[in-house]
Amino acid sequence: MKLLSVNTGRAEAVPYTTAATGTTGIDKHPADGPVAVADPGPHGTGGSGLAGDSIGDLRHHGGTHQAVYAFAREDLDAWEQRLGRPLRNGIFGENLTTLGVDVNGALIGERWRVGAALVLEVTRGRIPCRVFADRLEEKGWVKRFTRQGEPGAYLRVVEPGEIRAGDPVEVVHRPAHGITVATAFRAETVERSLLPTLLAAGDALHPELLRTAREYAAGTGTGGAGDGTSGTGGEAEDAREQGGARPAGDQAGALHGRRGH
């Protein structure tokens, strides 16, 4: 398992973002040399965890729990076949393009050592947004990407470090709960009834999604043991003030204009 590329993007003015800056950093390209990675700070003020990487809309993107975005080269290859077009590393806005890593099968709270020092922890899947769709110029992209259910993973920085293309990726911790990135993504988008099961991941789950799962479980009476009730205060405060994903029938409205770069 290794990194094929470490990708960063510069702020670019585009007409299809609602960010106050009018810019996006989603157009990422492989870096030539090493890139330092560290916790960027709380959501709303912290941007990307990668030095030199821009995020245009801090309302929805970046911060501690979305510091790094990883996508598997194998999944890009599959999309090449579906779309009938070449897809270079970084084109989905991912910071890390991996090879041999089961990104969507990674467990929430799973930890990866990348290179000699960097340790990352999986928090959630990536929700497609309008900027992502307009960048690719693919009609119906938000729905299509969502239906595929292979979103790639957001990660927080546990231990900072410097990384570069070719570095090994090693899974150094796998929780026992069994909640994968793909499962969390389905719960957030098209299969809302799965939300209570995410509570088994506890505080390792992205705080926004953890809050949504708790609220859903409380409203439906489906909470129970292993609901991750520790640490509810500070992490919930770090979550952005936005409701959870809607049921499948309204998924386009729920996802349009949300997380990307």
Side-chain angles (χ1 to χ4, degrees), residues 2-23:
K2 68 177 183 179
L3 283 184
L4 287 183
S5 63
V6 182
N7 314 305
T8 60
R10 295 181 178 180
E12 174 187 5
V14 296
Y16 46 77
T17 179
T18 60
T21 61
T23 66

Side-chain angles (χ1 to χ4, degrees), residues 23-39:
T23 66
T24 176
I26 196 171
D27 187 25
K28 302 193 187 301
H29 294 263
D32 292 331
V35 177
V37 184
D39 182 352

Side-chain angles (χ1 to χ4, degrees), residues 113-251:
R113 184 177 300 281
V114 185
L118 180 66
V119 177
L120 303 173
E121 184 176 85
V122 176
T123 66
R124 82 185 315 167
R126 179 258 194 91
I127 303 295
C129 66
R130 174 186 174 184
V131 171
F132 187 21
D134 286 352
R135 168 63 63 182
L136 287 182
E137 299 181 326
E138 290 286 344
K139 186 176 180 180
W141 178 248
V142 168
K143 288 185 178 181
R144 188 171 183 183
F145 186 86
T146 300
R147 283 196 303 266
Q148 190 61 36
E150 299 169 347
Y154 276 125
L155 305 103
R156 59 173 66 92
V157 178
V158 177
E159 297 178 14
E162 195 174 74
I163 57 174
R164 67 182 71 209
D167 275 349
V169 179
E170 177 188 5
V171 177
V172 295
H173 171 67
R174 277 179 67 84
H177 54 67
I179 304 301
T180 66
V181 168
T183 298
F185 180 73
R186 287 189 0 251
E188 210 175 351
T189 56
V190 300
E191 203 168 343
R192 198 167 170 81
S193 62
L194 289 175
L195 280 169
T197 69
L198 305 189
L199 296 176
D203 290 343
L205 195 65
H206 188 294
E208 178 196 56
L209 184 51
L210 178 58
R211 181 182 62 185
T212 298
R214 284 175 175 157
E215 290 174 350
Y216 183 92
T220 58
T222 51
D227 66 354
T229 53
S230 63
T232 58
E235 290 200 327
E237 291 174 5
D238 187 51
R240 58 183 164 87
E241 295 299 324
Q242 186 166 316
R246 295 176 175 83
D250 194 28
Q251 71 179 25

